[in-house]
Amino acid sequence: MQKPPWGDKISSKVTNLANYFVTTDGKTFFEVIRTAMDVAEEDKCDLNIHKL
């Protein structure tokens, strides 16, 4: 099995790609996106995602 370009220098809390991107309060990227989608649906508004 090949190692990723960054090697083994990641947190032991990262066990898969789903929890690789985590906010400072511990929410995963997917949780943040899901919450944004739910709020947009409740408010009946569009959800726009922009590249930073």
Side-chain angles (χ1 to χ4, degrees):
M1 180 179 226
Q2 292 183 333
K3 289 186 179 182
W6 53 85
D8 296 328
K9 297 178 181 172
I10 59 173
S11 169
S12 61
K13 293 179 182 179
V14 176
T15 58
N16 58 50
L17 191 55
N19 65 12
Y20 185 80
F21 298 101
V22 179
T23 63
T24 55
D25 60 348
K27 293 180 182 152
T28 67
F29 172 76
F30 295 111
E31 289 174 305
V32 172
I33 291 296
R34 180 44 130 173
T35 299
M37 291 169 55
D38 289 344
V39 170
E41 183 178 26
E42 288 173 14
D43 291 349
K44 296 183 180 10
C45 65
D46 292 335
L47 174 67
N48 297 305
I49 300 173
H50 298 270
K51 181 179 176 181
L52 296 177

